[in-house]
Amino acid sequence: MPVLYRFKKKIEIRNDGPPITSDLKGTCMDLSIFEKMDAPDLREYIQFLLWHYRVVDAFWYLNITERYDEAAADQLNEKVWGRVAAMAAKDLVSRFNIQEKGLQGFVKALRFFPWCILVGYQIKQTPEEVLISVPSCPTQVARTQRGLNEYACKEMHREEFANFARQIDPHIQIECLFAPPDPHPEDMHCQWRFIVKAEVGMGK
């Protein structure tokens, strides 16, 4: 018999109006296909899911741009990924029992975030700061290969990173060193810096 996994969670969706709450209690996913799947097949399926995660994002953005314009797509993209990042961070903390706060907790959770895996973030961590570098962004590379301009992703990623970090520790601050549409080196699409701001009355 299939193994059914039940979820008891409520998702609140806001769309410029009163929140819409979807009660997932009693909803089932049939994950029995994975019960006897070996490690190589599981990895292959994870790659499939990650690829389609990216494909859905790309087609969603392109179709919004075609239907309306790039400004509308950018605005919606910021809202969507700001919200998704916050939900992801909260879920990852719960699923993987991430108890650390500050930069350590942020990096630990971020390594599970699909975009960290898809893009291949280069993460340099010291006690004082975290530096995230993206030498080759697959989204920007794909646009360039198709003769499109680089996507102005700076504000979307600022919202995404800020909301993700806030779920781990509200004292984490983010600084964009450069990201499109900023000028950037040929071998680096963007760089981001994260620090923890000390609470008032707790040191310098």
Side-chain angles (χ1 to χ4, degrees):
M1 294 181 63
V3 179
L4 300 180
Y5 293 77
R6 295 186 176 274
F7 295 84
K8 298 180 179 179
K9 182 182 291 188
K10 288 186 177 182
I11 294 179
E12 187 176 274
I13 304 171
R14 296 183 180 275
N15 184 24
D16 298 328
I20 303 170
T21 301
S22 175
D23 191 346
L24 298 185
K25 184 177 181 180
T27 301
C28 298
M29 285 199 298
D30 181 1
L31 304 182
S32 59
I33 192 172
F34 301 116
E35 295 297 317
K36 296 182 180 180
M37 195 176 285
D38 59 18
D41 284 343
L42 281 170
R43 284 193 292 270
E44 192 70 27
Y45 195 80
I46 290 170
Q47 290 181 36
F48 163 80
L49 289 179
L50 288 171
W51 168 252
H52 281 273
Y53 187 94
R54 177 185 161 195
V55 167
V56 169
D57 174 63
F59 280 118
W60 178 89
Y61 181 85
L62 290 171
N63 277 275
I64 292 293
T65 301
E66 291 175 4
R67 179 69 179 268
Y68 300 101
D69 55 38
E70 196 164 293
D74 289 346
Q75 185 180 27
L76 290 170
N77 220 25
E78 288 175 29
K79 288 185 177 182
V80 168
W81 285 109
R83 180 61 175 154
V84 169
M87 293 174 66
K90 186 176 181 180
D91 201 13
L92 288 168
V93 166
S94 174
R95 288 178 183 272
F96 296 98
N97 192 30
I98 299 173
Q99 300 180 12
E100 298 89 342
K101 297 294 184 181
L103 299 177
Q104 184 178 357
F106 170 68
V107 170
K108 188 172 182 179
L110 188 68
R111 291 191 186 279
F112 289 108
F113 191 46
W115 283 114
C116 181
I117 300 167
L118 280 164
V119 175
Y121 293 160
Q122 292 186 355
I123 302 174
K124 181 179 180 181
Q125 182 178 2
T126 70
E128 293 77 28
E129 67 176 17
V130 167
L131 185 67
I132 293 179
S133 303
V134 179
S136 180
C137 173
T139 299
Q140 301 292 15
V141 169
R143 288 180 64 88
T144 301
Q145 290 175 344
R146 287 166 174 76
L148 300 172
N149 294 330
E150 285 188 340
Y151 157 53
C153 61
K154 182 176 182 177
E155 295 309 316
M156 182 276 288
H157 283 305
R158 189 195 305 277
E159 191 77 6
E160 178 187 41
F161 280 136
N163 284 317
F164 190 99
R166 192 176 296 118
Q167 291 295 320
I168 308 300
D169 189 329
H171 299 108
I172 296 176
Q173 291 191 331
I174 176 175
E175 176 188 2
C176 179
L177 302 181
F178 58 84
D182 298 337
H184 59 83
E186 290 187 5
D187 61 349
M188 190 69 64
H189 275 111
C190 68
Q191 279 191 335
W192 302 80
R193 180 173 176 261
F194 302 81
I195 62 171
V196 174
K197 181 180 179 181
E199 293 186 69
V200 176
M202 294 187 64
K204 296 181 180 179

